[in-house]
Amino acid sequence: MSILDPNIRSFSRLENLIPRPVMIKTGKECSFLSPEVVIDYEQGNQSLDFIADYLKKALFFSFVGASCADQKHRIGKIKFQLKENQSGSSNEDYQLKIEENQIILVGSTDRGIFLGVQTLLQLVEHMPEGSPGISLPQCEIVDTPRFSWRGVMLDVARHFFPPADIRRVIDLMARYKLNTLHLHLTDDQGWRIEINTWPKLTEIGGQTEVGGGKGGYYSQAEYADLVLYAQDRYITIIPEIDMPGHTNAALASYPELNKTKSAPDLYTGIEVGFSSLDIDNPLTYEFVNDVIRELASLTPGPYIHIGGDEAKSTKLEDYGPFIERIQGIVNQHGKRMIGWQEIAQSRLASGSIVQYWTDDSKMSTLPEGVNIIMSPARRAYLDMKYDQDCQLGLNWAGYINLQDAYSWDPETYLDIIQPGNILGLEAPLWSETLETIADIEFLMFPRLLAYSEIGWSKNAKGDFTEFQHRVAKQNNLLERQQVNYYRSKLVDWS
Ligand code: TNX
C-alpha cells in the first residue's frame, strides 16, 4: 500500500483523536462520505434539529471541492439515535459507528450526540485540505468523559473582547469537548456587563482597559445571546463578578460605594490587591444584591462566581463574614456560589465550589458537599508564557510548555483532597497582555488540547511523546479553522 492510500490515512486519524476516546474498535476498510449525505433522526426533537443543522454546515465547509469517487463504500446516511444509558454513568456518553454505508451515532442524551458529532468532525477535519473525497475509517467508538467539568476561563475585564471573539472561543472549545466557559466579567480595569439598576458601572467603569484602550461591555441582550450560543454548543457560561477586591472599576463608577465617598480614578495598570468594597456599608450589599439578581436572571446555568481572590485590601476578619453574606445572596437568587480558593477561609455552604489556583496558600479540608475545580497556576494558566522567548503572557507561575500543560493529574495534584471532590479542571486565560482574538488563540493553542485530554479522557496514556505525535496531527484541523496557534518546538508540525 502506498502512503497515500486512504485506508492508511483514515485509520491513523482514529489514533490521533484528541481527546482520546475510551474505546476504539477499528474496522478493515474505509468508506466515503457522500456529498448528498442525509441526517436521519426522530422528527420533532428541536435539539437534534439544531445538531443536524450544525453538522450539515460544518460538513458543507469541508465538502467544498470534494467528490465521492467510490460508489461501493459510500456513506449516504448519518443516523442520530437517543437511547437511554443502561449504566447511567454520564449524560455525555456516546457511541459512534462508521459502517460501510452509514454512520450511526447513539447518545443517552442530545448532549452525547453533540459530543459524538465533534468526534466525527475531527475525523473529517484531520484530512488535508483538497483531499479527493472525505474518507472515513470504518470503526466503532464508545466514549464517556472522565470529569464533568472541563472548562476555560477568559478574562474580558483586563481587556475587552467583543461577542464575536467569545463565539469563536466557544466554537473552538466545542471541537475539543470542553463544556464550561467562565467569563471574568469585572476587575479593577473594567466592568463588562450591563446592570440596569447601576448603569454607571458600564457607562464609566466599562470605558477603559489595561493600557488605556477604549474598553467596552456587553449589553444584557448581547450577553443573553452569548449564553444561548454557548448553550446550543452544550457549553455553560459561568459569570464572575469579582469581589470584595478587584473592584476599582465599580468604585470609580459610584463614589457612594467608597469609604471616603469619593471615587478613585479609573485604573489601567496591572497591579492587584489595592481595591476593596466597603464591608461596613449597607449600600454595598444592596449593590451586590442588585448585580447578582440581574446576573442570575441572565444565567440559566446553576452557578455564579463571586471571585474572592487577592482581597489584600480587605481585613482578614471582615473577609470571611463578607463571603458568607454574599453566599447567602447568591443562594437566595437560586444559584450556587463558586469562588477562588481564598473563599475556603470562610464557612462554605454545601453546594458551593472552590476553584484552586495557587500553591502559595494552604487549602484546608472542605466541608461536606463543597467541591473543587482544579486550576493550578503552574500547570493550567493559559496566560503563562510557553518559554522565555514568548512575547505574550506573564511568568509569575513559571513557564508552561505543552509538556507541563499535559503532564499532571487533577486528582493527585493536591494530596489533601479526596479525589471524589474534584469536579474537573479549568484553564484560565487572564488578559493583561492580550488585545486580540489572535493573541487569545496563540496562548490557547496547542495547550488547550492538553487540557481537553486531561479533562475528558479516561484512557489518556499520560505519555507525552505519544501525545506530541497526536498534537502534530491536529495541524490540518487548526489550519482549516485558521487558528493562530503557537508552533511549539516540542511538536513536529511538518
Ligand atoms: C492572579 S488567579 C490573579 C489574576 C491575575 C492573574 C495573572 C487569580 C484568582 N488572580 O488577578 O490576572 O494572576 O496570571
Side-chain angles (χ1 to χ4, degrees):
M1 277 198 270
S2 109
I3 192 75
L4 292 175
D5 187 302
N7 270 312
I8 293 186
R9 282 190 284 123
S10 34
F11 286 105
S12 69
R13 272 183 270 142
L14 282 174
E15 289 302 307
N16 290 326
L17 288 167
I18 292 179
R20 182 186 278 289
V22 170
M23 201 272 304
I24 304 178
K25 208 152 92 193
T26 43
K28 292 211 167 51
E29 293 184 89
C30 68
S31 292
F32 286 81
L33 208 50
S34 157
E36 285 94 43
V37 67
V38 177
I39 304 176
D40 177 47
Y41 56 95
E42 193 191 329
Q43 291 307 299
N45 182 324
Q46 285 184 0
S47 306
L48 295 185
D49 280 342
F50 179 86
I51 299 172
D53 201 48
Y54 172 98
L55 174 59
K56 260 186 263 166
K57 283 188 188 128
L59 284 178
F60 178 76
F61 192 62
S62 308
F63 270 126
V64 177
S67 61
C68 179
D70 190 318
Q71 290 305 315
K72 182 167 166 269
H73 299 122
R74 190 183 168 100
I75 296 175
K77 192 198 279 183
I78 301 175
K79 241 182 170 162
F80 293 166
Q81 277 176 4
L82 289 173
K83 212 185 254 172
E84 202 142 316
N85 178 342
Q86 303 307 324
S87 62
S89 58
S90 160
N91 66 352
E92 298 188 294
D93 293 355
Y94 71 90
Q95 267 176 57
L96 176 67
K97 270 191 238 166
I98 302 181
E99 301 179 340
E100 187 172 336
N101 300 115
Q102 64 174 355
I103 293 175
I104 303 177
L105 177 50
V106 183
S108 52
T109 63
D110 47 313
R111 184 180 284 270
I113 305 265
F114 182 79
L115 290 160
V117 159
Q118 301 308 322
T119 302
L120 177 60
L121 286 174
Q122 245 192 53
L123 291 173
V124 170
E125 289 167 352
H126 275 341
M127 299 193 21
E129 204 125 14
S131 307
I134 297 183
S135 68
L136 287 168
Q138 290 173 21
C139 63
E140 184 184 348
I141 295 177
V142 179
D143 208 3
T144 186
R146 179 177 180 201
F147 293 113
S148 61
W149 194 290
R150 305 178 302 278
V152 169
M153 188 212 80
L154 187 61
D155 171 10
V156 296
R158 268 54 176 271
H159 280 98
F160 177 68
F161 299 95
D165 292 356
I166 307 297
R167 288 195 288 270
R168 164 82 167 164
V169 168
I170 289 170
D171 284 335
L172 292 169
M173 284 172 65
R175 198 59 100 244
Y176 292 101
K177 302 189 173 73
L178 295 156
N179 66 5
T180 44
L181 175 60
H182 164 185
L183 292 177
H184 181 76
L185 290 168
T186 67
D187 212 303
D188 292 318
Q189 299 87 346
W191 186 285
R192 308 296 179 207
I193 177 76
E194 176 183 38
I195 301 294
N196 294 327
T197 45
W198 296 74
K200 284 193 251 166
L201 290 169
T202 44
E203 281 165 26
I204 297 173
Q207 302 304 316
T208 190
E209 60 187 6
V210 167
K214 70 178 173 37
Y217 66 90
Y218 309 116
S219 69
Q220 291 202 356
E222 283 170 331
Y223 185 82
D225 275 352
L226 284 178
V227 169
L228 276 180
Y229 190 86
Q231 217 173 23
D232 279 342
R233 286 150 188 81
Y234 298 85
I235 290 175
T236 304
I237 291 195
I238 315 285
E240 177 186 350
I241 303 292
D242 204 347
M243 61 185 117
H246 293 274
T247 41
N248 191 75
L251 296 170
S253 308
Y254 285 96
E256 58 271 40
L257 288 176
N258 294 270
K259 230 182 184 59
T260 57
K261 305 290 178 249
S262 76
D265 292 339
L266 290 165
Y267 181 69
T268 60
I270 64 167
E271 294 302 315
V272 297
F274 59 88
S275 56
S276 177
L277 291 175
D278 181 1
I279 306 297
D280 303 321
N281 184 357
L283 187 66
T284 295
Y285 301 93
E286 267 178 53
F287 163 72
V288 173
N289 186 50
D290 287 338
V291 170
I292 301 292
R293 186 188 60 245
E294 291 193 32
L295 203 58
S297 75
L298 290 166
T299 304
Y303 310 105
I304 288 192
H305 200 304
I306 58 92
D309 58 314
E310 300 173 318
K312 294 178 189 161
S313 299
T314 313
K315 285 195 231 117
L316 193 59
E317 66 265 32
D318 289 342
Y319 179 83
F322 174 80
I323 296 293
E324 288 155 32
R325 198 157 164 188
I326 302 310
Q327 176 173 255
I329 295 175
V330 171
N331 293 164
Q332 233 170 41
H333 293 295
K335 302 294 173 188
R336 292 168 61 182
M337 180 180 80
I338 309 180
W340 296 103
Q341 178 175 351
E342 287 92 328
I343 67 161
Q345 300 161 36
S346 45
R347 279 177 303 180
L348 297 178
S350 171
S352 291
I353 295 175
V354 172
Q355 185 166 11
Y356 184 88
W357 67 280
T358 174
D359 299 335
D360 294 345
S361 75
K362 281 259 166 297
M363 278 264 300
S364 41
T365 30
L366 294 168
E368 197 53 32
V370 174
N371 287 322
I372 299 200
I373 304 161
M374 291 299 292
S375 302
R378 283 193 299 129
R379 296 296 195 163
Y381 267 30
L382 282 164
D383 63 314
M384 291 302 115
K385 290 173 183 284
Y386 291 97
D387 60 26
Q388 64 269 36
D389 300 327
C390 187
Q391 299 294 306
L392 294 171
L394 304 172
N395 63 0
W396 66 264
Y399 299 111
I400 303 184
N401 66 29
L402 185 63
Q403 181 159 17
D404 304 317
Y406 186 65
S407 310
W408 65 286
D409 180 354
E411 277 180 341
T412 53
Y413 189 87
L414 290 177
D415 49 11
I416 51 155
I417 301 294
Q418 294 294 321
N421 286 350
I422 295 184
L423 297 177
L425 84 165
E426 188 174 291
L429 181 50
W430 301 95
S431 66
E432 284 92 337
T433 65
L434 312 180
E435 294 180 20
T436 63
I437 183 70
D439 294 347
I440 290 178
E441 291 174 14
F442 186 82
L443 288 181
M444 271 191 179
F445 291 92
R447 287 184 292 203
L448 199 73
L449 279 45
Y451 303 130
S452 151
E453 173 133 320
I454 296 173
W456 177 276
S457 185
K458 290 185 193 241
N459 221 20
K461 296 188 175 151
D463 169 354
F464 181 67
T465 317
E466 184 271 342
F467 183 67
Q468 260 169 321
H469 291 302
R470 277 188 293 140
V471 172
K473 294 298 187 301
Q474 296 284 320
N475 59 352
N476 289 318
L477 190 158
L478 294 173
E479 266 151 41
R480 225 177 248 272
Q481 310 275 356
Q482 299 180 326
V483 175
N484 179 37
Y485 62 100
Y486 168 61
R487 269 64 172 179
S488 167
K489 294 182 210 80
L490 297 177
V491 175
D492 176 8
W493 298 101
S494 60

